[in-house]
Amino acid sequence: MSIQSVGIVGAGQMGNGIAHVFALSGYDVLLNDISEDALNRALSLIDKNMERQVQREKITAEYKAASLARIRTTTKLAELGPSDLIIEAATEREMVKQAIFEDLLPHLKPETILTSNTSSISITRLASRTDRPEKFMGFHFMNPVPVMQLVELIRGIATDEPTYKALHQVVEKLGKTAASAEDFPAFIVNRILIPMINEAVYTLYEGVGNVQSIDMALKLGANHPMGPLELADFIGLDTCLAIMNVLYDGLADTKYRPCPLLTKYVEAGWLGRKTQRGFYDYRGDTPVPTR
């Protein structure tokens, strides 16, 4: 099962990072988004991030140019059809993902592998809505994709061994490390990480500490490179809340109840760095805690 060409659905934070690492590893990449502006922003960001790698002497200017030339863009989902591998990296909403796969199906080659970069949604359920559940997997990259070494490989109940092996080889070619996870809500990383963030928000909600003291405590007390509230802002509070809801609904355990304060921030549209406000206010020269 040789994979040469990759179609990526969604040119946001994850999609552009995935396009970046695949192009650097020699794959032909077709990046899709409904917005031409999003595609242009993605190409500009990939160019900037690759230039940073040139400055650090991780790659040469010639290799950067060759890698960028391997990335094409399209607003037409059907054009991804001939790809050997498709990675869906759209919004973390199941209805959106299902609609994308349904629109793709008539245009696919029989051997095309379908994957989702979902951070929490059931792979088995997504796969069941396609014509190839045996060739469907979770392919969960960490953010920021060019920097983070881990990729979670999640098999649905129907995923066959050749599909798993093919994707394992892809991860190796990307120079990353695969962690195999079973198809349970939020898989491994987010099953552990997001409840920790939710607990940090409860600690803030209950007045045990303020934003600054909670983040400092985990950075200096647990040697975390980033405090949990700072990390939540980086991930996006809407994404954190969505994953907590998947855990709460999927496992029916009250320990996964989203903190009301997290819900309140999302209702306010304070989603973290991407909206300039979350647990910190990013509108000035330095981030200022909002609580």
Side-chain angles (χ1 to χ4, degrees), residues 20 22 43 74-75 107 127 137 154 170 197 223 265 288:
H20 176 140
F22 270 91
L43 285 177
T74 180
T75 54
H107 310 286
M137 274 192 73
I154 306 105
V170 168
I197 288 172
N223 208 24
Y265 267 70
V288 178

Side-chain angles (χ1 to χ4, degrees), residues 125-139:
R125 199 162 60 234
L126 285 173
S128 72
R129 302 290 294 268
T130 73
D131 62 353
R132 61 195 70 205
E134 71 288 346
K135 284 186 166 58
F136 194 108
M137 274 192 73
F139 206 27

Side-chain angles (χ1 to χ4, degrees), residues 155-174:
R155 278 187 267 212
I157 200 168
T159 307
D160 65 22
E161 194 62 20
T163 300
Y164 172 77
K165 284 183 175 168
L167 288 185
H168 206 286
Q169 285 169 2
V170 168
V171 174
E172 286 176 358
K173 190 175 171 184
L174 295 176

Side-chain angles (χ1 to χ4, degrees), residues 94 125 185 241-254 256-258:
E94 191 165 345
R125 199 162 60 234
L241 180 60
I243 295 168
M244 283 309 300
N245 279 323
V246 165
L247 282 165
Y248 191 43
D249 296 343
L251 298 169
D253 191 326
T254 53
Y256 297 114
R257 185 171 68 97

Side-chain angles (χ1 to χ4, degrees), residues 142-159:
M142 306 295 129
N143 185 34
V145 181
V147 175
M148 302 294 277
Q149 286 302 299
L150 186 76
V151 182
E152 279 183 313
L153 291 181
I154 306 105
R155 278 187 267 212
I157 200 168
T159 307

Side-chain angles (χ1 to χ4, degrees), residues 39-56:
L39 291 169
N40 291 334
R41 281 196 304 272
L43 285 177
S44 173
L45 190 57
I46 292 167
D47 189 346
K48 182 176 147 193
N49 289 339
M50 283 190 186
E51 185 55 36
R52 194 176 290 137
Q53 290 175 297
V54 172
Q55 298 304 320
R56 291 177 181 166

